[in-house]
Amino acid sequence: MARITAPVKGYNGTIGDVQFTGGVAETDNAAVINYCRGAGYDIDGETTEQPDAPAPVDSRDVDRVQAGTRLRDAAVDPRPEDFLPPTNAGQADPHGPAVVAPGVHAAPPAPIVPGPVPSDPAAQQERETEVAQRVLVDGEPATAVGGDRPPQAAPKAAWVDWAVSQGMDREQAEDLTKAELIDLHGRATASEEQ
């Protein structure tokens, strides 16, 4: 029978069908013994050395292996004919925070751009890219970029963002209730809430 000592002193609980009391248990259950050995528990006075976590992989150092048809990444190799290309494509680290793809209208992670989708693709691209840049790269609140006051049913966080976009200090806005924020920034008419 193996004596197992938990790495957390005084642990009281179970692993499988083995009960630990005061951080110690005894068992001949091979599955529990192997689990505990791999998790850094002391087994009969011996602790298995845990391997160090592997170093993070830099994607630039990985050899490429092509599987299937090669695709072009617009963040790395932008072309003029790309529709809604990533912001800063070809200028910044393609996997860094300064390169974001606005995506199609209303597709996450960019916020929904209010209003109708323009029939001219160039106009849509300009609007969607500008909003994606402001929200995803520059860090502006999505409610401020949209330009419209949030509906009364919106969460308090949306009202805080709206109040900040209207010039209020964020701390001051966060200290107010949602009802106070709505009172300060006007209530919608019935037709606006529809």
Side-chain angles (χ1 to χ4, degrees), residues 110-134:
I112 295 174
V113 177
V117 176
S119 58
D120 175 20
Q124 178 187 2
Q125 178 169 309
E126 185 178 329
R127 285 183 64 210
E128 302 282 343
T129 301
E130 186 241 337
V131 168
Q133 174 76 29
R134 289 176 61 192

Side-chain angles (χ1 to χ4, degrees), residues 143 148-156 158-159 162 178 182 186-189 192-194:
T143 51
D148 292 335
R149 184 189 51 73
Q152 290 181 13
K156 179 185 174 189
W159 279 96
W162 174 251
K178 177 181 163 183
I182 292 171
R187 293 185 177 274
T189 64
E192 284 180 289
E193 286 295 315
Q194 304 270 331

Side-chain angles (χ1 to χ4, degrees), residues 160-172:
V160 168
D161 287 345
W162 174 251
V164 170
S165 76
Q166 301 303 300
M168 182 177 275
D169 176 69
R170 180 165 291 278
E171 273 187 38
Q172 180 186 7

Side-chain angles (χ1 to χ4, degrees), residues 28 40 63-64 72 75 102 107 109 111 118 128-129 144 146 156 167:
D28 55 2
D63 290 332
R64 296 179 188 174
R72 179 180 59 84
E128 302 282 343
T129 301
K156 179 185 174 189

Side-chain angles (χ1 to χ4, degrees), residues 7-186:
V8 176
K9 302 283 186 230
Y11 170 69
N12 294 314
T14 59
I15 295 178
D17 62 351
V18 178
Q19 176 67 44
F20 281 79
T21 303
V24 178
E26 290 188 354
T27 186
D28 55 2
N29 182 326
V32 172
I33 293 169
N34 287 334
Y35 167 81
C36 291
R37 183 173 286 121
Y41 287 67
D42 181 275
I43 311 294
D44 290 329
E46 295 179 16
T47 302
T48 303
E49 188 67 31
Q50 298 299 307
D52 292 334
V57 176
D58 185 330
S59 62
R60 297 169 293 189
D61 296 336
V62 177
D63 290 332
R64 296 179 188 174
V65 176
Q66 183 173 330
T69 306
R70 180 160 161 46
L71 298 176
R72 179 180 59 84
D73 185 346
V76 177
D77 182 21
R79 296 190 183 156
E81 66 270 15
D82 291 338
F83 181 67
L84 292 173
T87 62
N88 302 318
Q91 301 168 8
D93 175 2
H95 302 288
V99 176
V100 295
V104 296
H105 182 74
I112 295 174
V113 177
V117 176
S119 58
D120 175 20
Q124 178 187 2
Q125 178 169 309
E126 185 178 329
R127 285 183 64 210
E128 302 282 343
T129 301
E130 186 241 337
V131 168
Q133 174 76 29
R134 289 176 61 192
V135 172
L136 301 174
V137 176
D138 300 338
E140 293 184 37
T143 51
V145 172
D148 292 335
R149 184 189 51 73
Q152 290 181 13
K156 179 185 174 189
W159 279 96
V160 168
D161 287 345
W162 174 251
V164 170
S165 76
Q166 301 303 300
M168 182 177 275
D169 176 69
R170 180 165 291 278
E171 273 187 38
Q172 180 186 7
E174 288 172 346
D175 288 343
L176 297 174
T177 66
K178 177 181 163 183
E180 291 169 328
L181 290 166
I182 292 171
D183 285 341
L184 283 171
H185 295 284

